[in-house]
Amino acid sequence: LESSFALFFLFELLVKIKFDGLLEFYLGDDFKWNIFDTAIVLLAVVDMTMYGLDLLGVATTDSLDGLSIIRVARLLRITRVVRLLKFDIFRDLRRMLDGVV
């Protein structure tokens, strides 16, 4: 299931780059979010690859201990949802979150 999400996000990233163009994607108005998305997707792909190698027995668990930061970084994916809050549809939700904070 996790691999499916990682592949979906990778596909989404590649489609965005294809339609926006490489320069516009990384140098346009949303370049900070796009760089963040790229970093999160790359971490997910690396994590998925390391997990696959571990299942195949190519890598030992001892060599994967240093990559636990990747698992923590996966939690950052939730911040992608924050991008949605700039749409007018989510104005009330944004106000509620501002009230809580």
Side-chain angles (χ1 to χ4, degrees):
L1 184 66
E2 187 175 324
S3 298
S4 300
F5 282 112
L7 290 175
F8 173 77
F9 287 131
L10 179 64
F11 177 72
E12 176 195 23
L13 181 70
L14 293 175
V15 168
K16 283 182 184 179
I17 291 172
K18 171 77 172 154
F19 285 113
D20 290 345
L22 191 62
L23 288 177
E24 178 62 30
F25 188 75
Y26 288 112
L27 300 175
D29 293 335
D30 285 338
F31 77 95
K32 292 178 183 176
W33 283 111
N34 293 336
I35 291 171
F36 178 73
D37 284 347
T38 302
I40 296 299
V41 168
L42 289 177
L43 285 173
V45 169
V46 167
D47 184 48
M48 181 179 63
T49 304
M50 296 305 288
Y51 181 71
L53 289 175
D54 190 38
L55 285 178
L56 293 173
V58 175
T60 64
T61 308
D62 295 336
S63 67
L64 298 179
D65 287 342
L67 293 174
S68 62
I69 189 71
I70 291 174
R71 297 197 184 277
V72 173
R74 288 185 312 176
L75 295 174
L76 293 174
R77 282 188 274 183
I78 193 69
T79 59
R80 293 173 60 128
V81 175
V82 173
R83 292 179 68 177
L84 295 175
L85 294 179
K86 62 183 176 179
F87 294 115
D88 288 336
I89 298 170
F90 298 107
R91 181 178 45 231
D92 293 334
L93 178 60
R94 190 173 46 220
R95 287 182 185 155
M96 286 187 282
L97 290 174
D98 287 339
V100 170
V101 175

